[in-house]
Amino acid sequence: MTMNNGAGGRRRPPTIHDVAREAGVSRGTVSRVLNGGHYVSPAAAEAVNAAIRRTGYVVNRHARSLITGRSDSVGFLLTEPQERFFEDPNFNVLLRGCTQALAAHDIPLLLMLAGTEDERRRITRYITAGHVDGVLLVSSHSGDPVATELREAGVPLVACGKPIGIGSKVSYVAADDRDGARDMVRHLLAQDRRRVGVVTGPLDTPGGVERLAGYREVLAEAGVEYDERLVVSGDYSRASGEAGAERLLAQAPDLDAVFVASDLMAQGVLTVLHRAGRRVPQDVAVGGFDDSPAATAVSPSLTTIRQPWDRISNEMVRVLLAQIGGEDPAAVILPTELVKREST
């Protein structure tokens, strides 16, 4: 079907009226199909969808938003400095997975980076003004007001990882950080390592807290004394992994293993151990967390804990769309997997 516009014969985009005429139904029926198909017979719905395909009709999202009060878009909000988005491969993997999951519903995803207080204020105003229907929140630190402000404004919200300090009314999807850490530390102890250091994630994030807790629990069950000299903190960046490894070697030069709370930090740990003349795994075994591309971009390749990123992104989108549709908040915790490679 060709849509002409006046004597000039210029092609114009098909309208909802063209779809109705092609399908042999009313404009109201087409509108109901476009807004969920309620009170429309299967035969009429099929006729409308076939007419949409034949005419090439594309929904005018702006016009529909005026009717429904929705933007038909979702925000992916990363509350970290911009450079972290480009450095840490996990964020890109999660963003890609969420984009693909939303594409199946014909919903675009808007990337929002808010690493400073001013950026967080501006983006919070933008979100609460109704420019997106809901938010996928990534890397929320305790004390970060964004999650609280969005929840209080009634914005549908799903966090990646269990939020700290904002109650139980926020939906979240998380890998089982504590259990993954337990698996890694048990594996290191099974290699006859007894001086197991740890480079934690930020201790104001759920991953940082839970992975350290798993480390401590396994040491206790194995009868290995907890030694604060073997514990240093990082921020998930490669540079903090290097700094953490240097502190560990200075504080506990007899360490024979390191559990690192992210693969990217583990890259930094391996660099420092190599520089110090420590062989991996002969002298020091190293285990990471995430199974990100960073785990196989190093030599030796990194034993790590696999987070199920595809499932995490799919579940975040599923829970958010359910919440936008009126369902109550929900929590989903997914299992991790130990992946053995050359570093242990």
Side-chain angles (χ1 to χ4, degrees), residues 47-270:
V48 170
N49 287 321
I52 289 172
R53 290 192 293 271
R54 287 195 298 271
T55 61
Y57 174 74
V58 177
V59 175
N60 183 327
R61 291 186 179 276
H62 176 68
R64 188 165 74 178
S65 71
L66 294 176
I67 298 170
T68 64
R70 291 185 178 178
S71 70
D72 284 335
S73 61
V74 165
F76 183 97
L77 176 55
L78 177 63
T79 56
E80 293 283 355
Q82 291 189 16
E83 58 268 22
R84 289 292 312 283
F85 174 74
F86 297 102
E87 179 190 24
D88 193 327
N90 292 328
F91 296 140
N92 289 280
V93 171
L94 189 62
L95 175 64
R96 183 171 63 249
C98 291
T99 300
Q100 291 172 344
L102 284 165
H105 301 273
D106 194 28
I107 297 174
L109 184 64
L110 279 63
L111 172 62
M112 304 173 179
L113 302 178
T116 68
E117 186 176 341
D118 284 344
E119 289 172 344
R120 286 191 285 272
R121 278 200 297 265
R122 284 195 299 270
I123 287 177
T124 299
R125 286 198 303 269
Y126 180 84
I127 293 169
T128 54
H131 294 293
V132 295
D133 294 328
V135 173
L136 302 168
L137 178 64
V138 182
S139 191
S140 179
H141 298 255
S142 64
D144 181 351
V146 171
T148 300
E149 290 175 10
L150 295 181
R151 186 193 67 180
E152 290 176 351
V155 176
L157 172 71
V158 177
C160 181
K162 184 177 181 178
I164 297 176
I166 57 174
S168 59
K169 296 294 181 69
V170 173
S171 294
Y172 67 89
V173 177
D176 195 333
D177 292 296
R178 185 176 300 211
D179 195 55
R182 286 193 291 247
D183 285 344
M184 178 57 75
V185 179
R186 288 190 187 111
H187 172 67
L188 293 172
L189 293 176
Q191 311 300 306
D192 292 326
R193 314 288 173 154
R194 284 298 177 268
R195 294 287 286 165
V196 181
V198 60
V199 181
T200 76
L203 296 179
D204 62 349
T205 64
V209 171
E210 291 295 306
R211 293 171 203 179
L212 177 59
Y215 165 85
R216 298 191 66 161
E217 286 174 6
V218 171
L219 292 186
E221 73 182 25
V224 177
E225 184 178 358
Y226 177 77
D227 186 343
E228 290 187 353
R229 293 173 298 176
L230 288 165
V231 180
V232 298
S233 62
D235 63 6
Y236 292 140
S237 69
R238 177 171 179 151
S240 74
E242 291 191 28
E246 289 171 350
R247 291 199 303 274
L248 282 176
L249 288 177
Q251 295 169 187
D254 61 338
L255 65 83
D256 57 13
V258 185
F259 165 44
V260 192
S262 82
D263 294 343
L264 196 60
M265 289 197 300
Q267 282 189 336
V269 170
L270 290 172

